[in-house]
Amino acid sequence: GAFRAHRHLNSGTSFFLAGPKRREDQEGEREIERERKTQNENIHKYSEYQVVKTNAQGRRQERVLGIDPWNLHNKKPKGSGGVWRKQRSLKEVSEVHRLQNPGTFAIRFTNGTSREYECVDKSQVDEIIKKITVLRSNLFG
């Protein structure tokens, strides 16, 4: 008799374990979907990145690279005067790609010029490239 009761308990337990697992899977999928939505929303939010830009003369300049859904913004850190080209439309970007050194990338413009940037926080390089790429393709729809 005791043996049968034990087996019954076992099957009950395994059934119980199988139940919540499915709910967790659903939760996980919902979580991933939420994460994806958040990333999409963040791509469309204006954001700024600390970068070091190499200018046409090859001088390295600290800049804040701002990206909104339509433009790139080139700002000096902490209000240290203006810059020559404050913003450019993302439509003027012909290509953005990583360079060999970690945290570096280049933006090529439709007028043939190209600028190199280095992220102060090197981990941001993928985010910047993805953001510019996605927003640019949205503009050309």
Side-chain angles (χ1 to χ4, degrees):
F3 178 66
R4 209 168 27 246
H6 183 71
R7 247 177 60 201
H8 176 70
L9 188 75
N10 245 355
S11 67
T13 311
S14 64
F15 174 74
F16 178 72
L17 285 177
K21 168 118 183 60
R22 277 195 292 278
R23 235 192 336 269
E24 271 163 32
D25 285 352
Q26 279 177 350
E27 259 311 301
E29 279 161 31
R30 249 185 250 125
E31 191 53 49
I32 289 166
E33 181 58 30
R34 258 200 303 272
E35 181 67 20
R36 213 176 54 81
K37 260 210 177 92
T38 307
Q39 278 177 353
N40 272 351
E41 282 163 19
N42 285 347
I43 275 187
H44 292 90
K45 279 199 184 89
Y46 176 73
S47 44
E48 295 189 333
Y49 305 92
Q50 307 289 325
V51 297
V52 178
K53 173 189 170 186
T54 304
N55 75 0
Q57 288 74 44
R59 276 205 304 276
R60 287 164 59 80
Q61 306 163 316
E62 282 184 36
R63 288 288 180 268
V64 174
L65 176 65
I67 306 172
D68 71 30
W70 303 276
N71 299 293
L72 295 177
H73 302 264
N74 178 31
K75 297 159 70 172
K76 284 194 178 173
K78 298 180 291 291
S80 52
V83 295
W84 178 60
R85 289 201 76 158
K86 282 192 175 58
Q87 69 177 58
R88 297 178 90 154
S89 164
L90 283 169
K91 289 190 170 178
E92 290 180 62
V93 174
S94 63
E95 193 196 350
V96 54
H97 61 271
R98 305 190 78 153
L99 296 169
Q100 219 161 358
N101 289 338
T104 60
F105 64 100
I107 300 176
R108 186 175 295 138
F109 297 97
T110 49
N111 66 359
T113 63
S114 170
R115 288 286 166 272
E116 294 187 7
Y117 297 86
E118 181 178 341
C119 300
V120 173
D121 174 356
K122 296 190 183 355
S123 68
Q124 291 181 328
V125 68
D126 289 327
E127 186 185 322
I128 293 174
I129 290 176
K130 182 179 176 194
K131 188 159 181 141
I132 294 175
T133 306
V134 170
L135 291 174
R136 205 182 136 264
S137 64
N138 285 355
L139 283 183
F140 289 107

